[in-house]
Amino acid sequence: MTEKSAELVRLNELKAFVSTKAGVKGLVDTKITEVPRIFHIPSSSTLSNNKPSDISGLNLTVPIIDLGDGNTSAARNVLVSKIKEAAENWGFFQVINHGIPLTVLEDIKQGVRRFHEEDPEVKKQYFATDFNTRFAYNTNFDIHYSSPMNWKDSFTCYTCPQDPLKPEEIPLACRDVVIEYSKHVMELGGLLFQLLSEALGLDSEILKNMDCLKGLLMLCHYYPPCPQPDLTLGISKHTDNSFITILLQDQIGGLQVLHQDSWVDVTPVPGALVISIGDFMQLITNDKFLSMEHRVRANRDGPRISVACFVSSGVFPNSTVYGPIKELLSDENPAKYRDITIPEYTVGYLASIFDGKSHLSKFRI
């Protein structure tokens, strides 16, 4: 088979899969024992992309930070110092005592699971292939026919304080918990922006005043059990187009961050939330805080549930222009990025999210 005909076969298989609107769960429900080719990582890159590096003896652990430790001025300084170190060196950290009740964390996980395990005909009503709707169910970023496909289904839900979602826009299976959880996440986002502002040595309200809290995109993933997890990925390596991402994961695990050229497991901690620095934060901090590549491995166990909340306005209208914060610049530390708007950045980001190249690097001066 020629390369051209092989690509045609792949596209036909891909279109057939997308047309079912049943997602990866639909495949698993047919009792498949092999992963279809459209999900296969190319054999030439399987080892480098799907196997963790040997990190034995390196003792690499994503920092865990107790947000309840900042009750005095001295304790607040210690807390800010820990966040500063994590944002500069890891781009990832986990937080405990973050203020979101454990019952709410469980409720949102169950709500995500309920929707994804709905009758397929119910889910198809919400099927869309882009982020231009306030609530959309899809599997992968299939409008771009990404190769390979990832072993997950998702729904996206966009809200913002100025224009909250109407309850009737959200499926009944997850309606109440999505609304409640998004409110808690926005409150936590406000606290994290204060701490990150202070970690930059700036006024605690500077990030909030820059409209960094203008919107929230919830990306709720469902990773069905995979019969051949070494052949595919739950999510390919990427960075996030956000200021920060607040992630809730269940206890199955699979999330990894690239640190010191090694894939390091972000081990689930009961009740914790994972915080990651996004591309926009790296840009406005002029590379002081780092947006790191991460991925999710496929797993025989499952389903795995995760809820990623991107603090960003995404493709929705936002005329604010962002560039490196002027207070961080000097003759010795000039601006490394040109000014952008978030919609401008996001359109290109979504078109090339899993191509293995940094979209942020395209905006370097």
Side-chain angles (χ1 to χ4, degrees), residues 210-322:
M210 292 174 64
D211 282 344
C212 295
L213 262 174
K214 198 166 186 177
L216 185 73
L217 176 69
M218 295 179 64
L219 195 48
C220 302
H221 298 307
Y222 182 97
Y223 303 85
C226 182
Q228 296 173 301
D230 288 340
L231 295 183
T232 188
L233 283 166
I235 299 182
S236 302
K237 66 176 182 178
H238 65 287
T239 59
D240 291 342
N241 65 319
S242 64
F243 290 101
I244 59 172
T245 302
I246 300 173
L247 174 76
L248 170 64
Q249 60 171 341
D250 64 16
Q251 296 305 300
I252 290 178
L255 175 63
Q256 296 180 319
V257 58
L258 190 62
H259 180 74
Q260 296 181 10
D261 295 324
S262 297
W263 286 111
V264 179
D265 291 327
V266 185
T267 304
V269 174
L273 292 166
V274 180
I275 312 300
S276 61
I277 300 298
D279 290 354
F280 303 143
M281 184 67 75
Q282 179 167 334
L283 183 146
I284 64 175
T285 64
N286 212 40
D287 285 351
K288 188 170 180 63
F289 294 165
L290 300 178
S291 176
M292 301 302 292
E293 287 187 326
H294 50 285
R295 67 182 186 181
V296 176
R297 300 191 70 191
N299 202 310
R300 291 187 184 276
D301 299 324
R304 176 181 183 267
I305 305 294
S306 73
V307 182
C309 292
F310 298 84
V311 183
S312 164
S313 59
V315 297
F316 288 84
N318 181 358
S319 59
T320 304
V321 175
Y322 292 95

Side-chain angles (χ1 to χ4, degrees), residues 107-150:
D107 287 347
I108 187 63
K109 285 187 289 187
Q110 290 304 315
V112 171
R113 182 168 185 155
R114 276 196 304 273
F115 174 82
H116 283 290
E117 294 181 355
E118 279 269 31
D119 184 283
E121 294 305 312
V122 174
K123 292 190 291 186
K124 286 178 183 178
Q125 300 173 43
Y126 298 95
F127 189 84
T129 56
D130 58 43
F131 283 128
N132 289 310
T133 54
R134 298 286 295 275
F135 186 100
Y137 154 69
N138 60 29
T139 178
N140 294 257
F141 296 92
D142 23 325
I143 194 170
H144 304 301
Y145 295 121
S146 57
S147 177
M149 298 282 275
N150 290 160

Side-chain angles (χ1 to χ4, degrees), residues 55-198:
I55 59 172
S56 58
L58 294 181
N59 195 28
L60 296 178
T61 304
V62 174
I64 300 172
I65 299 175
D66 189 340
L67 294 185
D69 281 348
N71 295 325
T72 67
S73 177
R76 175 87 169 197
N77 290 337
V78 172
L79 174 58
V80 168
S81 178
K82 290 179 179 178
I83 287 179
K84 176 177 182 289
E85 183 178 3
E88 289 179 351
N89 297 322
W90 279 87
F92 264 71
F93 54 97
Q94 299 202 63
V95 294
I96 57 176
N97 291 324
H98 43 66
I100 303 182
L102 295 179
T103 52
V104 175
L105 300 183
E106 286 304 312
D107 287 347
I108 187 63
K109 285 187 289 187
Q110 290 304 315
V112 171
R113 182 168 185 155
R114 276 196 304 273
F115 174 82
H116 283 290
E117 294 181 355
E118 279 269 31
D119 184 283
E121 294 305 312
V122 174
K123 292 190 291 186
K124 286 178 183 178
Q125 300 173 43
Y126 298 95
F127 189 84
T129 56
D130 58 43
F131 283 128
N132 289 310
T133 54
R134 298 286 295 275
F135 186 100
Y137 154 69
N138 60 29
T139 178
N140 294 257
F141 296 92
D142 23 325
I143 194 170
H144 304 301
Y145 295 121
S146 57
S147 177
M149 298 282 275
N150 290 160
W151 196 260
K152 65 156 179 68
D153 298 328
S154 309
F155 70 75
T156 58
C157 182
Y158 178 77
T159 188
C160 67
Q162 294 80 17
D163 186 20
L165 268 172
K166 299 179 179 64
E168 59 269 22
E169 296 180 86
I170 308 171
L172 195 58
C174 57
R175 179 178 298 166
D176 292 341
V177 292
V178 162
I179 293 171
E180 182 178 12
Y181 187 65
S182 64
K183 292 176 181 177
H184 282 285
V185 168
M186 290 296 281
E187 290 180 10
L188 176 59
L191 172 60
L192 290 168
F193 278 140
Q194 285 183 335
L195 294 167
L196 288 164
S197 296
E198 293 171 31

